[in-house]
Amino acid sequence: MSPLAFVLTLSCYRRWPSRFSTPYSHNLLVLFSSTATTITPPNGNESPSSGPAPPPIRVALTESTGRAVFATRRIGAGDTIHTAKPIVSHPSLSAITTVCYFCLKKINAVTASQSQGVYFCSENCKESSKVFYDVEKKADWLAFDDYCRTQGLKYPLLVKRLACMVISGAAPAGILDILQPANLTQGMILKEVLTKQWYTDVLARIRINAFRIELAAGVYEDLLSLASASIEAEAAVGNAIYMLPSFYNHDCDPNTHIVWIENADAKLKALRDIDEGEELQICYIDASMSYDARESLLSQGFGFKCNCLRCMSGD
């Protein structure tokens, strides 16, 4: 089956959205991203619960930036705000033989499990990948991958994996509908290979919400290491989409930082003390760039002009 036939097959699933569609709520958002903590009850005679506590944040609508993330209590500098597992991820084509095809963890060639040219770091990841990989193997993606490689494209790879997940029934076709879409020009759509409506809708959301995964070489728990993590990180190993982290807005002087330690599981950390009610923001780009470079990249890549305090001052 060709990649185009896969998309045509996918369009059949779109005719019956009720088969996979799930209504999203604030409570469901927490399911995608939460930090496991021990909850100590106020009554000392009761035993503590070991269940996961919701992160100290809430998602709310704003007049200027749409959805945003706010602190529900004070968060200390260096605290882990929450963790997040990806909805969908895919390794970079340049790293396809050096990272796990499922979780993007760096692999050991001796212990890795191979399957038709891709590698898995463990039998657990190999088993987990079946939700999309059994479907993916039914098509010849060589021309698709070669085109992405020569054109330097990364987002179609995420669309490919999500399509396989939807066809297998492992994900609803509208799983990304809640995310903010990018404004795609016709040129962008044509460059990204396919023009089917589902592909376009998904691509529009992946393009603006995808995170570039750079694995930090070690555990970063202190602020100094945290601040330098992105500089000391190895080359990008892939890209991923998350639910809750995608609601964080941009600031060129952010109060929150996202880091990846071993695999595509993201960790959101506070860069400084954050007050209750304060909006949590991350930097979408390299914050060390000049004002002109940041403005150009944010406009072309994300479609907005930054009005943070740093940019307003021309820094």
Side-chain angles (χ1 to χ4, degrees):
M1 184 182 292
S2 68
L4 180 57
F6 263 59
V7 175
L8 292 176
T9 301
L10 183 62
S11 67
C12 294
Y13 286 87
R14 289 291 283 175
R15 296 175 189 171
W16 298 284
S18 61
R19 178 175 180 180
F20 292 120
S21 295
T22 302
Y24 290 99
S25 66
H26 288 314
N27 291 333
L28 186 58
L29 295 178
V30 174
L31 296 180
F32 283 98
S33 308
S34 63
T35 302
T37 59
T38 298
I39 307 170
T40 303
N43 186 342
N45 296 324
E46 300 177 21
S47 59
S49 170
S50 59
I57 56 177
R58 64 182 178 88
V59 177
L61 291 174
T62 65
E63 294 183 359
S64 58
T65 59
R67 292 186 183 89
V69 180
F70 297 88
T72 58
R73 60 170 173 76
R74 184 185 178 280
I75 303 172
D79 286 354
T80 296
I81 301 168
H82 67 89
T83 58
K85 289 186 176 295
I87 299 172
V88 59
S89 62
H90 196 287
S92 300
L93 293 177
S94 60
I96 205 77
T97 60
T98 60
V99 300
C100 177
Y101 199 55
F102 181 75
C103 76
L104 276 58
K105 181 179 180 179
K106 291 282 187 177
I107 59 173
N108 183 324
V110 177
T111 60
S113 175
Q114 186 178 13
S115 178
Q116 297 187 0
V118 299
Y119 296 84
F120 299 95
C121 66
S122 65
E123 287 299 319
N124 183 55
C125 279
K126 185 176 181 180
E127 183 67 23
S128 298
S129 72
K130 288 185 176 181
V131 296
F132 62 84
Y133 195 49
D134 283 351
V135 175
E136 182 181 320
K137 289 186 293 185
K138 295 178 182 179
D140 181 2
W141 297 94
L142 181 60
F144 183 91
D145 290 347
D146 283 347
Y147 183 84
C148 290
R149 184 179 288 106
T150 57
Q151 298 297 318
L153 303 177
K154 53 189 178 181
Y155 305 125
L157 300 172
L158 290 168
V159 180
K160 175 189 75 173
R161 178 161 293 184
L162 183 58
C164 293
M165 292 169 63
V166 171
I167 291 172
S168 70
I175 192 169
L176 300 186
D177 287 356
I178 196 173
L179 301 183
Q180 176 70 26
N183 294 317
L184 298 180
T185 65
Q186 186 63 24
M188 290 178 181
I189 297 172
L190 292 176
K191 185 178 180 182
E192 304 283 8
V193 187
L194 299 173
T195 59
K196 294 297 181 181
Q197 189 61 47
W198 179 87
Y199 181 93
T200 304
D201 291 344
V202 170
L203 179 64
R205 286 166 172 81
I206 284 179
R207 185 178 181 87
I208 201 171
N209 292 288
F211 287 83
R212 170 186 167 102
I213 310 299
E214 294 183 338
L215 301 183
V219 178
Y220 292 90
E221 295 300 339
D222 60 273
L223 272 182
L224 180 61
S225 296
L226 181 63
S228 62
S230 60
I231 299 174
E232 297 180 5
E234 300 178 20
V237 298
N239 299 274
I241 298 292
Y242 304 87
M243 185 60 70
L244 193 49
S246 293
F247 294 138
Y248 282 69
N249 287 317
H250 165 83
D251 195 294
C252 292
D253 185 20
N255 54 15
T256 306
H257 181 76
I258 185 169
V259 65
W260 296 268
I261 305 300
E262 295 183 345
N263 53 33
D265 292 352
K267 179 180 289 189
L268 279 291
K269 305 268 288 186
L271 284 171
R272 57 172 175 77
D273 290 342
I274 300 172
D275 295 328
E276 179 180 349
E278 183 178 349
E279 181 177 355
L280 281 70
Q281 297 168 315
I282 59 177
C283 188
Y284 294 175
I285 58 176
D286 181 358
S288 66
M289 293 190 299
S290 67
Y291 166 76
D292 290 338
R294 297 197 314 273
E295 184 179 41
S296 175
L297 187 56
L298 289 170
S299 175
Q300 295 178 16
F302 297 91
F304 69 87
K305 177 179 174 60
C306 184
N307 293 315
C308 71
L309 293 177
R310 182 181 173 191
C311 286
M312 293 295 286
S313 67
D315 180 10

